[in-house]
C-alpha cells in the first residue's frame, strides 16, 4: 500500500481522486469537484489501484492511468512487480474482494474497510504473461476511451451554450451532405 503524503497544495484538479470522484459499481472515476484546502494527500502512480475505503459495498475502484494525489479515504495499492499492476487490479476488482472487505469492515452507517485485513487478502494464482498482456491491453483501451469521453464532454459543454444562445447557427447546414457517407 502506498503511503507517501504531500501537502494538498500539490494536488491538481485533473488528477485528484476523492471518494466522491470514484464511481460506484467499479465504473472508474470522474473529475473531482474540488480540491482539499488544508492537510496532506496521498500520492499515487500510474498503474496503482485506488479503492474508496468508505462504504466498500459501493465497490468504488479505479486503475490509475496517470499519476496524481488522492484523499486519505482512498487507499492506494501498488503491485510489488510493476508488470503485474493490471493483474492486481483485476483481482481486487472482483466481487470476492469486496465481499472479503465487507466482512472485516467497521461501522454501520458509514462502514470502513480494515486496511490490515485488505493487505492480508490472498491472491492464489500467478498470472501468465499472456494473461497480463491481455489485461494490460484492456486497461489501456479503457483509458483511451475514458479520455476520449472526457474530450467529447468538454466539447459538448463548450458548444451547447453557443448553440442554445444562437451564437452558432446550424439552421443552414445541409445534413444530407454531412451524412452522405451513410447512404
Amino acid at each position: 500500500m502506498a503511503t507517501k503524503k504531500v501537502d494538498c497544495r500539490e494536488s491538481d484538479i485533473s488528477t485528484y481522486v476523492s471518494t466522491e470522484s470514484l464511481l460506484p459499481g467499479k465504473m472508474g472515476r470522474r473529475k473531482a469537484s474540488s480540491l482539499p484546502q488544508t492537510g496532506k494527500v496521498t500520492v499515487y502512480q500510474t498503474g496503482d489501484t485506488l479503492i474508496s475505503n468508505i462504504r466498500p459495498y459501493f465497490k468504488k475502484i479505479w486503475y490509475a492511468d496517470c499519476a496524481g494525489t488522492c484523499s486519505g479515504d482512498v487507499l492506494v495499492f501498488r503491485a510489488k512487480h510493476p508488470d503485474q499492476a493490471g493483474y492486481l487490479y483485476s483481482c481486487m476488482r472482483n466481487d470476492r474482494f469486496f465481499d472479503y472487505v465487507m466482512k472485516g469492515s467497521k461501522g454501520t452507517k458509514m462502514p470502513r474497510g480494515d486496511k490490515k485485513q485488505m493487505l492480508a487478502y490472498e491472491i492464489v494464482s500467478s498470472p501468465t504473461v499472456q494473461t497480463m498482456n491481455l489485461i494490460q491491453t484492456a486497461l489501456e483501451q479503457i483509458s483511451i476511451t475514458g479520455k476520449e469521453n472526457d474530450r467529447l464532454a468538454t466539447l459538448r459543454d463548450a458548444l451547447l451554450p453557443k448553440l442554445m444562445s444562437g451564437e452558432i447557427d446550424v439552421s443552414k447546414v445541409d445534413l444530407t451532405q454531412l451524412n452522405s457517407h451513410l447512404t
Side-chain angles (χ1 to χ4, degrees), residues 61-74:
I61 184 170
W62 176 60
Y63 181 79
D65 60 359
C66 61
T69 58
C70 61
S71 79
D73 290 323
V74 175

Side-chain angles (χ1 to χ4, degrees), residues 4-157:
K4 180 181 176 185
K5 305 270 188 194
V6 296
D7 188 273
C8 67
R9 291 176 291 204
E10 293 186 40
S11 294
D12 180 292
I13 194 71
S14 66
T15 57
Y16 180 72
V17 178
S18 64
T19 58
E20 159 268 326
S21 68
L22 286 171
L23 300 171
K26 306 180 224 176
M27 295 301 293
R29 78 166 182 117
R30 64 175 172 237
K31 185 177 171 185
S33 60
S34 63
L35 290 172
Q37 300 301 306
T38 60
K40 301 273 187 186
V41 291
T42 306
V43 175
Y44 68 86
Q45 300 173 359
T46 302
D48 286 347
T49 297
L50 281 65
I51 298 177
S52 173
N53 196 34
I54 298 174
R55 296 181 177 163
Y57 53 82
F58 280 134
K59 301 176 184 176
K60 293 182 172 190
I61 184 170
W62 176 60
Y63 181 79
D65 60 359
C66 61
T69 58
C70 61
S71 79
D73 290 323
V74 175
L75 303 179
V76 179
F77 293 89
R78 185 167 297 144
K80 289 180 183 176
H81 305 286
D83 63 323
Q84 294 183 353
Y87 183 70
L88 173 64
Y89 167 77
S90 69
C91 292
M92 296 181 87
R93 191 178 186 281
N94 193 298
D95 282 339
R96 285 187 297 249
F97 174 75
F98 287 100
D99 292 343
Y100 173 83
V101 171
M102 281 308 298
K103 287 179 185 169
S105 66
K106 295 176 173 67
T108 52
K109 185 176 180 183
M110 294 209 9
R112 292 177 177 268
D114 181 327
K115 294 175 193 175
K116 287 181 183 177
Q117 180 210 20
M118 286 185 214
L119 290 171
Y121 184 71
E122 291 186 25
I123 298 174
V124 292
S125 64
S126 296
T128 65
V129 172
Q130 182 181 10
T131 299
M132 288 190 303
N133 288 341
L134 286 171
I135 292 169
Q136 198 58 43
T137 300
L139 290 171
E140 287 168 6
Q141 188 59 51
I142 290 167
S143 175
I144 290 167
T145 303
K147 289 175 182 172
E148 183 63 17
N149 285 344
D150 291 344
R151 280 191 290 275
L152 289 170
T154 300
L155 183 60
R156 176 205 61 215
D157 294 346

